[in-house]
């Protein structure tokens, strides 16, 4: 008789271990059963929320709304350069005024113009690059007719960026008249007065 009782007891205990919720229901603890039933759903809900959050951040970056988070270190001595990170980019904004947007071909023609050339390697997603735009425009206005200042999109011209080892943005390269070998290189952004002094000191050595 004892051998006949033990197998069902082991089978009943095995089922209780595999299904605690069922055991609680049998004991009348419906609240505990509900909590056990909900717990497996929580990880899935957290995973969905994390996915939605990542998608929202990616949308903000693509729309350019995250640009407001860029550090405003230009208000001090200068703005630190940023390392190129490829990702979603906002629509290209072509600079206008005294600073000319240049392709690889236009860059070669500028070097043959007989004037010193300053090249600003930038990217649309680079915060310090955008902060440098008005400073560079003012310097180009002050030195108009003496120095040619152009801008090159490092994403649009990766071969040029690789040739001149552009590793941070913005990067300024300084060329003498009719020369394709840079006289100097500067990474980061400066205020207009300091930037003008740097240009004059590099392309017009005493």
């Amino acid at each position: 008789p004892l051998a006949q009782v033990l197998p069902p007891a082991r089978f009943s205990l095995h089922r209780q271990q595999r299904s605690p919720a069922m055991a609680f229901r049998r004991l009348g603890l419906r609240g505990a059963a509900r909590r056990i039933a909900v717990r497996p759903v929580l990880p899935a809900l957290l995973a969905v929320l994390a996915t939605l959050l990542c998608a929202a951040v990616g949308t903000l970056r693509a729309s350019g709304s995250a640009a407001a988070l860029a550090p405003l270190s230009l208000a001090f001595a200068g703005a630190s350069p940023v390392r190129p990170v490829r990702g979603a980019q906002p629509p290209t904004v072509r600079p206008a005024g005294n600073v000319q947007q240049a392709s690889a071909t236009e860059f070669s023609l500028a070097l043959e113009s007989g004037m010193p050339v300053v090249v600003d390697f930038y990217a649309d997603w680079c915060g310090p690059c955008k902060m440098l735009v008005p400073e560079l425009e003012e310097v180009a206005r002050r030195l108009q007719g003496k120095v040619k200042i152009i801008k090159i999109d490092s994403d649009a011209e990766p071969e040029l960026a690789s040739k001149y080892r552009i590793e941070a943005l913005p990067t300024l390269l300084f060329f003498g008249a009719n020369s394709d070998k840079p006289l100097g290189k500067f990474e980061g952004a400066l205020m207009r007065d300091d930037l003008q002094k740097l240009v004059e000191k590099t392309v017009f050595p005493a």
Side-chain angles (χ1 to χ4, degrees):
L2 182 59
Q4 296 178 356
V5 173
L6 287 178
R10 288 196 299 270
F11 178 75
S12 176
L13 179 61
H14 181 63
R15 292 189 61 185
Q16 289 179 7
Q17 290 176 345
R18 290 183 59 186
S19 179
M22 184 177 297
F24 281 125
R25 291 193 187 97
R26 290 180 179 178
L27 294 175
L29 301 178
R30 298 181 180 274
R34 284 196 297 269
R35 286 194 296 272
I36 291 176
V38 170
R39 284 176 183 172
V41 182
L42 292 178
L45 290 177
L46 292 176
V48 172
L49 290 175
T51 302
L52 293 176
L53 180 60
C54 291
V57 172
T59 302
L60 287 176
R61 288 179 177 174
S63 64
S65 300
L69 301 178
L72 299 180
S73 55
L74 190 59
F76 300 96
S80 300
V82 296
R83 300 295 166 182
V85 178
R86 302 298 184 261
Q89 303 173 11
T92 301
V93 178
R94 297 298 183 187
N98 298 308
V99 179
Q100 302 176 4
Q101 178 76 30
S103 63
T105 301
E106 293 166 336
F107 167 68
S108 298
L109 293 175
L111 295 181
E112 299 173 358
S113 65
M115 294 176 58
V117 178
V118 177
V119 184
D120 171 27
F121 280 89
Y122 77 102
D124 291 324
W125 44 263
C126 167
C129 298
K130 297 178 182 179
M131 297 161 62
L132 181 62
V133 170
E135 311 304 314
L136 207 57
E137 278 287 341
E138 176 59 22
V139 173
R141 186 191 66 79
R142 295 177 183 180
L143 300 178
Q144 188 173 11
K146 299 180 179 179
V147 178
K148 183 181 291 293
I149 300 180
I150 61 177
K151 296 177 70 68
I152 295 180
D153 188 340
S154 59
D155 289 332
E157 302 291 345
E159 293 183 1
L160 274 181
S162 176
K163 176 181 178 180
Y164 290 104
R165 299 182 180 180
I166 304 303
E167 300 175 350
L169 298 175
T171 292
L172 298 176
L173 293 182
F174 306 90
F175 295 86
N178 300 319
S179 175
D180 61 349
K181 295 182 180 180
L183 300 173
K185 180 178 181 180
F186 180 82
E187 296 179 348
L190 292 173
M191 300 299 290
R192 57 193 63 185
D193 292 337
D194 294 331
L195 183 57
Q196 180 178 353
K197 292 177 182 178
L198 177 62
V199 172
E200 292 175 338
K201 179 180 179 180
T202 307
V203 301
F204 300 126

